[in-house]
Amino acid sequence: VLELMAKASERSLPEAVMMMIPEAWQDNHNLSDTKKAFYEYNSCLMEPWDGPAMVAFTDGRYIGATLDRNGLRPSRYYVTKDDNVILSSEIGVIPELQDKDVKIKHRLEPGKMFLVDFETQRIVPDDEIKEQVASRHPYGEWVKESMIDLERWTQEKAISPAPFDFSSTNRKLNSFGFTGERLEMLLLPMGIGGKEALGSMGNDAALAVLSEKPRQVNEYFKQLFAQVTNPPIDPIREEIVMSLVCPVGPEGNLLSDPNKEHCKRLNVRHPVLTLEEMETLKS
């Protein structure tokens, strides 16, 4: 994908990398408004790739690497006194390199980019290249003009949902497969304490495809998880680097030149909509 974006569009290689692997920007108060607008605009074009990974890249003019915004992979670089650059996931990959020959020794930080520009023959600082890329177009104006925020739209509309008909509650619960056990063991603790109930009971129910009982359609699908030791990440404990905000709606052509048409999408801050938000969408 990175090679396609760099070769089939007018974007530079650093810009394509910034689009694919953005730094944490939603709740980063140290980030400039220019870069925030760039990342928000490009979130409408493609979903970020969070790795975890350190990605190295080159196109002949630039060579560099970037680390995902969670920083779950190590990456260190050396710059020697004779202007050689060494970047690796571990230190000590060149045992014959002496400390007296090293001019700079540092780690690649989460969401940051290490970039060497062969044309200017220098290492370009992360802030410099990203500010340069982010200031090429008025991304902030485009987002403000074109993107629709569902939460703000709901507040402006101020549409009240219809009164809930409790006489049909049992029928709806039955239709969606809610059992008494699920109501008492899962939903009741969530409603009272505001958090998911914990338990150690295994699920010994038969697979839906093998069960003789009627099952919900969603129970026929299982998600396959990668068998790796990545720690769990959620938008509560990791709110600095993760967000549930998601633009929905038709996507534009990823390879076309940047314009405000790309961010004509609906910005949804949470996957579970409130009744007010649902009524606003229906209107």
Side-chain angles (χ1 to χ4, degrees), residues 87-100:
L87 185 142
S88 175
S89 61
E90 306 292 343
I91 60 173
V93 293
I94 304 181
E96 59 268 20
L97 180 65
Q98 303 297 319
D99 283 344
K100 62 182 178 65

mmCIF file with all atom_site columns, all heavy atoms in Angstrom, residues 87-100:
data_model
loop_
_atom_site.group_PDB
_atom_site.id
_atom_site.type_symbol
_atom_site.label_atom_id
_atom_site.label_alt_id
_atom_site.label_comp_id
_atom_site.label_asym_id
_atom_site.label_entity_id
_atom_site.label_seq_id
_atom_site.pdbx_PDB_ins_code
_atom_site.Cartn_x
_atom_site.Cartn_y
_atom_site.Cartn_z
_atom_site.occupancy
_atom_site.B_iso_or_equiv
_atom_site.pdbx_formal_charge
_atom_site.auth_seq_id
_atom_site.auth_comp_id
_atom_site.auth_asym_id
_atom_site.auth_atom_id
_atom_site.pdbx_PDB_model_num
ATOM 1   N N   . LEU A 1 87  ? 20.203 1.759  12.074 1.00 0.00 ? 87  LEU A N   1
ATOM 2   C CA  . LEU A 1 87  ? 18.912 1.661  12.760 1.00 0.00 ? 87  LEU A CA  1
ATOM 3   C C   . LEU A 1 87  ? 18.507 0.203  12.835 1.00 0.00 ? 87  LEU A C   1
ATOM 4   O O   . LEU A 1 87  ? 18.573 -0.518 11.838 1.00 0.00 ? 87  LEU A O   1
ATOM 5   C CB  . LEU A 1 87  ? 17.840 2.487  12.046 1.00 0.00 ? 87  LEU A CB  1
ATOM 6   C CG  . LEU A 1 87  ? 16.480 2.562  12.746 1.00 0.00 ? 87  LEU A CG  1
ATOM 7   C CD1 . LEU A 1 87  ? 15.877 3.962  12.584 1.00 0.00 ? 87  LEU A CD1 1
ATOM 8   C CD2 . LEU A 1 87  ? 15.503 1.542  12.203 1.00 0.00 ? 87  LEU A CD2 1
ATOM 9   N N   . SER A 1 88  ? 18.100 -0.232 14.011 1.00 0.00 ? 88  SER A N   1
ATOM 10  C CA  . SER A 1 88  ? 17.733 -1.629 14.206 1.00 0.00 ? 88  SER A CA  1
ATOM 11  C C   . SER A 1 88  ? 16.743 -1.740 15.358 1.00 0.00 ? 88  SER A C   1
ATOM 12  O O   . SER A 1 88  ? 16.571 -0.795 16.136 1.00 0.00 ? 88  SER A O   1
ATOM 13  C CB  . SER A 1 88  ? 18.979 -2.470 14.492 1.00 0.00 ? 88  SER A CB  1
ATOM 14  O OG  . SER A 1 88  ? 18.625 -3.801 14.799 1.00 0.00 ? 88  SER A OG  1
ATOM 15  N N   . SER A 1 89  ? 16.116 -2.907 15.449 1.00 0.00 ? 89  SER A N   1
ATOM 16  C CA  . SER A 1 89  ? 15.192 -3.133 16.557 1.00 0.00 ? 89  SER A CA  1
ATOM 17  C C   . SER A 1 89  ? 15.930 -3.441 17.848 1.00 0.00 ? 89  SER A C   1
ATOM 18  O O   . SER A 1 89  ? 15.332 -3.424 18.918 1.00 0.00 ? 89  SER A O   1
ATOM 19  C CB  . SER A 1 89  ? 14.231 -4.284 16.221 1.00 0.00 ? 89  SER A CB  1
ATOM 20  O OG  . SER A 1 89  ? 14.964 -5.478 16.001 1.00 0.00 ? 89  SER A OG  1
ATOM 21  N N   . GLU A 1 90  ? 17.203 -3.736 17.754 1.00 0.00 ? 90  GLU A N   1
ATOM 22  C CA  . GLU A 1 90  ? 17.992 -4.051 18.944 1.00 0.00 ? 90  GLU A CA  1
ATOM 23  C C   . GLU A 1 90  ? 19.317 -3.309 18.873 1.00 0.00 ? 90  GLU A C   1
ATOM 24  O O   . GLU A 1 90  ? 19.791 -2.928 17.797 1.00 0.00 ? 90  GLU A O   1
ATOM 25  C CB  . GLU A 1 90  ? 18.255 -5.570 19.030 1.00 0.00 ? 90  GLU A CB  1
ATOM 26  C CG  . GLU A 1 90  ? 17.013 -6.426 18.977 1.00 0.00 ? 90  GLU A CG  1
ATOM 27  C CD  . GLU A 1 90  ? 16.132 -6.286 20.208 1.00 0.00 ? 90  GLU A CD  1
ATOM 28  O OE1 . GLU A 1 90  ? 16.632 -5.771 21.233 1.00 0.00 ? 90  GLU A OE1 1
ATOM 29  O OE2 . GLU A 1 90  ? 14.955 -6.688 20.147 1.00 0.00 ? 90  GLU A OE2 1
ATOM 30  N N   . ILE A 1 91  ? 19.935 -3.119 20.031 1.00 0.00 ? 91  ILE A N   1
ATOM 31  C CA  . ILE A 1 91  ? 21.269 -2.538 20.071 1.00 0.00 ? 91  ILE A CA  1
ATOM 32  C C   . ILE A 1 91  ? 22.296 -3.660 19.989 1.00 0.00 ? 91  ILE A C   1
ATOM 33  O O   . ILE A 1 91  ? 21.997 -4.824 20.252 1.00 0.00 ? 91  ILE A O   1
ATOM 34  C CB  . ILE A 1 91  ? 21.482 -1.709 21.361 1.00 0.00 ? 91  ILE A CB  1
ATOM 35  C CG1 . ILE A 1 91  ? 21.318 -2.590 22.599 1.00 0.00 ? 91  ILE A CG1 1
ATOM 36  C CG2 . ILE A 1 91  ? 20.529 -0.534 21.407 1.00 0.00 ? 91  ILE A CG2 1
ATOM 37  C CD1 . ILE A 1 91  ? 21.674 -1.889 23.884 1.00 0.00 ? 91  ILE A CD1 1
ATOM 38  N N   . GLY A 1 92  ? 23.497 -3.304 19.584 1.00 0.00 ? 92  GLY A N   1
ATOM 39  C CA  . GLY A 1 92  ? 24.573 -4.287 19.541 1.00 0.00 ? 92  GLY A CA  1
ATOM 40  C C   . GLY A 1 92  ? 24.585 -5.171 18.313 1.00 0.00 ? 92  GLY A C   1
ATOM 41  O O   . GLY A 1 92  ? 25.217 -6.221 18.324 1.00 0.00 ? 92  GLY A O   1
ATOM 42  N N   . VAL A 1 93  ? 23.867 -4.772 17.249 1.00 0.00 ? 93  VAL A N   1
ATOM 43  C CA  . VAL A 1 93  ? 23.850 -5.610 16.038 1.00 0.00 ? 93  VAL A CA  1
ATOM 44  C C   . VAL A 1 93  ? 25.179 -5.553 15.294 1.00 0.00 ? 93  VAL A C   1
ATOM 45  O O   . VAL A 1 93  ? 25.483 -6.426 14.478 1.00 0.00 ? 93  VAL A O   1
ATOM 46  C CB  . VAL A 1 93  ? 22.699 -5.181 15.101 1.00 0.00 ? 93  VAL A CB  1
ATOM 47  C CG1 . VAL A 1 93  ? 21.363 -5.491 15.724 1.00 0.00 ? 93  VAL A CG1 1
ATOM 48  C CG2 . VAL A 1 93  ? 22.792 -3.706 14.749 1.00 0.00 ? 93  VAL A CG2 1
ATOM 49  N N   . ILE A 1 94  ? 25.972 -4.506 15.564 1.00 0.00 ? 94  ILE A N   1
ATOM 50  C CA  . ILE A 1 94  ? 27.317 -4.418 14.989 1.00 0.00 ? 94  ILE A CA  1
ATOM 51  C C   . ILE A 1 94  ? 28.295 -4.373 16.147 1.00 0.00 ? 94  ILE A C   1
ATOM 52  O O   . ILE A 1 94  ? 28.642 -3.299 16.661 1.00 0.00 ? 94  ILE A O   1
ATOM 53  C CB  . ILE A 1 94  ? 27.463 -3.175 14.083 1.00 0.00 ? 94  ILE A CB  1
ATOM 54  C CG1 . ILE A 1 94  ? 26.386 -3.190 12.993 1.00 0.00 ? 94  ILE A CG1 1
ATOM 55  C CG2 . ILE A 1 94  ? 28.853 -3.116 13.453 1.00 0.00 ? 94  ILE A CG2 1
ATOM 56  C CD1 . ILE A 1 94  ? 26.463 -2.028 12.030 1.00 0.00 ? 94  ILE A CD1 1
ATOM 57  N N   . PRO A 1 95  ? 28.733 -5.518 16.624 1.00 0.00 ? 95  PRO A N   1
ATOM 58  C CA  . PRO A 1 95  ? 29.552 -5.564 17.841 1.00 0.00 ? 95  PRO A CA  1
ATOM 59  C C   . PRO A 1 95  ? 30.886 -4.837 17.712 1.00 0.00 ? 95  PRO A C   1
ATOM 60  O O   . PRO A 1 95  ? 31.444 -4.376 18.713 1.00 0.00 ? 95  PRO A O   1
ATOM 61  C CB  . PRO A 1 95  ? 29.747 -7.067 18.085 1.00 0.00 ? 95  PRO A CB  1
ATOM 62  C CG  . PRO A 1 95  ? 29.503 -7.713 16.756 1.00 0.00 ? 95  PRO A CG  1
ATOM 63  C CD  . PRO A 1 95  ? 28.486 -6.863 16.074 1.00 0.00 ? 95  PRO A CD  1
ATOM 64  N N   . GLU A 1 96  ? 31.397 -4.694 16.487 1.00 0.00 ? 96  GLU A N   1
ATOM 65  C CA  . GLU A 1 96  ? 32.701 -4.046 16.335 1.00 0.00 ? 96  GLU A CA  1
ATOM 66  C C   . GLU A 1 96  ? 32.615 -2.520 16.389 1.00 0.00 ? 96  GLU A C   1
ATOM 67  O O   . GLU A 1 96  ? 33.642 -1.833 16.372 1.00 0.00 ? 96  GLU A O   1
ATOM 68  C CB  . GLU A 1 96  ? 33.364 -4.476 15.012 1.00 0.00 ? 96  GLU A CB  1
ATOM 69  C CG  . GLU A 1 96  ? 32.553 -4.152 13.760 1.00 0.00 ? 96  GLU A CG  1
ATOM 70  C CD  . GLU A 1 96  ? 31.652 -5.299 13.352 1.00 0.00 ? 96  GLU A CD  1
ATOM 71  O OE1 . GLU A 1 96  ? 31.369 -6.163 14.209 1.00 0.00 ? 96  GLU A OE1 1
ATOM 72  O OE2 . GLU A 1 96  ? 31.239 -5.323 12.188 1.00 0.00 ? 96  GLU A OE2 1
ATOM 73  N N   . LEU A 1 97  ? 31.392 -1.964 16.441 1.00 0.00 ? 97  LEU A N   1
ATOM 74  C CA  . LEU A 1 97  ? 31.242 -0.508 16.537 1.00 0.00 ? 97  LEU A CA  1
ATOM 75  C C   . LEU A 1 97  ? 31.597 -0.046 17.948 1.00 0.00 ? 97  LEU A C   1
ATOM 76  O O   . LEU A 1 97  ? 31.000 -0.485 18.932 1.00 0.00 ? 97  LEU A O   1
ATOM 77  C CB  . LEU A 1 97  ? 29.802 -0.113 16.187 1.00 0.00 ? 97  LEU A CB  1
ATOM 78  C CG  . LEU A 1 97  ? 29.488 1.387  16.236 1.00 0.00 ? 97  LEU A CG  1
ATOM 79  C CD1 . LEU A 1 97  ? 30.286 2.137  15.175 1.00 0.00 ? 97  LEU A CD1 1
ATOM 80  C CD2 . LEU A 1 97  ? 27.996 1.627  16.032 1.00 0.00 ? 97  LEU A CD2 1
ATOM 81  N N   . GLN A 1 98  ? 32.546 0.848  18.063 1.00 0.00 ? 98  GLN A N   1
ATOM 82  C CA  . GLN A 1 98  ? 33.005 1.345  19.349 1.00 0.00 ? 98  GLN A CA  1
ATOM 83  C C   . GLN A 1 98  ? 32.241 2.600  19.755 1.00 0.00 ? 98  GLN A C   1
ATOM 84  O O   . GLN A 1 98  ? 31.839 3.404  18.906 1.00 0.00 ? 98  GLN A O   1
ATOM 85  C CB  . GLN A 1 98  ? 34.514 1.661  19.283 1.00 0.00 ? 98  GLN A CB  1
ATOM 86  C CG  . GLN A 1 98  ? 35.385 0.486  18.881 1.00 0.00 ? 98  GLN A CG  1
ATOM 87  C CD  . GLN A 1 98  ? 35.317 -0.643 19.889 1.00 0.00 ? 98  GLN A CD  1
ATOM 88  O OE1 . GLN A 1 98  ? 35.312 -0.425 21.102 1.00 0.00 ? 98  GLN A OE1 1
ATOM 89  N NE2 . GLN A 1 98  ? 35.271 -1.883 19.392 1.00 0.00 ? 98  GLN A NE2 1
ATOM 90  N N   . ASP A 1 99  ? 32.056 2.778  21.062 1.00 0.00 ? 99  ASP A N   1
ATOM 91  C CA  . ASP A 1 99  ? 31.334 3.946  21.566 1.00 0.00 ? 99  ASP A CA  1
ATOM 92  C C   . ASP A 1 99  ? 32.021 5.251  21.186 1.00 0.00 ? 99  ASP A C   1
ATOM 93  O O   . ASP A 1 99  ? 31.357 6.275  20.991 1.00 0.00 ? 99  ASP A O   1
ATOM 94  C CB  . ASP A 1 99  ? 31.192 3.860  23.090 1.00 0.00 ? 99  ASP A CB  1
ATOM 95  C CG  . ASP A 1 99  ? 30.110 2.878  23.504 1.00 0.00 ? 99  ASP A CG  1
ATOM 96  O OD1 . ASP A 1 99  ? 29.290 2.510  22.653 1.00 0.00 ? 99  ASP A OD1 1
ATOM 97  O OD2 . ASP A 1 99  ? 30.085 2.471  24.691 1.00 0.00 ? 99  ASP A OD2 1
ATOM 98  N N   . LYS A 1 100 ? 33.340 5.227  21.086 1.00 0.00 ? 100 LYS A N   1
ATOM 99  C CA  . LYS A 1 100 ? 34.071 6.453  20.749 1.00 0.00 ? 100 LYS A CA  1
ATOM 100 C C   . LYS A 1 100 ? 33.786 6.928  19.329 1.00 0.00 ? 100 LYS A C   1
ATOM 101 O O   . LYS A 1 100 ? 34.028 8.097  18.987 1.00 0.00 ? 100 LYS A O   1
ATOM 102 C CB  . LYS A 1 100 ? 35.567 6.228  20.929 1.00 0.00 ? 100 LYS A CB  1
ATOM 103 C CG  . LYS A 1 100 ? 36.161 5.152  20.036 1.00 0.00 ? 100 LYS A CG  1
ATOM 104 C CD  . LYS A 1 100 ? 37.642 4.947  20.310 1.00 0.00 ? 100 LYS A CD  1
ATOM 105 C CE  . LYS A 1 100 ? 38.222 3.823  19.442 1.00 0.00 ? 100 LYS A CE  1
ATOM 106 N NZ  . LYS A 1 100 ? 38.173 4.166  18.008 1.00 0.00 ? 100 LYS A NZ  1
#
